[in-house]
Amino acid sequence: MASIRRKKKTTIGKHVGTCKFCGGSVIDKGSFYGCVNYAKTKCSFTISKTMLGKSISQTNIKKLLTEGKTNVIKGFKKGENTFNAALIWDEKEKRISFSFEK
Ligand SMILES: [Zn+2]
């Protein structure tokens, strides 16, 4: 893999975890996280950096990709409601979903 070093302080290109679809590297692409194999195999694995008005920290993205679950994130907004939930990787649906505390 070619490494591109930029002087500018940026997290773009930073490896955050392993792709749930193809096992490739998931990197910071600026406004979202995505699989490096997108260019090669059109792997469409992406994670948005903001969900329901909350920005998801890189720590939580790493947790999601390694453990399948983030910490509980407070203050998601849906319409009039605000709620707290952890993000989980749904193996069946192959997508991210919300996990509510019971
Ligand atoms: Zn991939």
Side-chain angles (χ1 to χ4, degrees):
M1 194 168 50
S3 81
I4 302 157
R5 290 203 90 124
R6 289 200 182 95
K7 284 250 166 76
K8 224 166 65 179
K9 202 181 171 191
T10 176
T11 57
I12 293 173
K14 196 176 157 69
H15 170 89
V16 291
T18 307
C19 175
K20 292 284 188 188
F21 289 172
C22 72
S25 192
V26 175
I27 59 162
D28 190 327
K29 296 209 178 194
S31 56
F32 64 96
Y33 297 102
C35 181
V36 287
N37 288 329
Y38 174 75
K40 273 192 269 175
T41 63
K42 292 275 182 287
C43 179
S44 60
F45 186 79
T46 55
I47 303 174
S48 177
K49 280 191 177 181
T50 14
M51 287 178 214
L52 299 180
K54 282 297 289 184
S55 61
I56 314 302
S57 73
Q58 201 170 90
T59 311
N60 273 326
I61 296 293
K62 281 182 182 166
K63 261 183 96 83
L64 181 68
L65 292 171
T66 51
E67 297 162 34
K69 192 179 181 185
T70 67
N71 297 321
V72 172
I73 299 164
K74 289 178 180 161
F76 284 114
K77 282 193 181 74
K78 198 168 193 180
E80 298 283 290
N81 302 315
T82 304
F83 63 93
N84 305 336
L87 296 173
I88 54 160
W89 178 253
D90 190 324
E91 286 288 348
K92 252 202 222 154
E93 302 281 330
K94 299 282 179 215
R95 62 183 183 89
I96 292 167
S97 63
F98 293 98
S99 167
F100 300 97
E101 301 278 281
K102 280 179 190 144

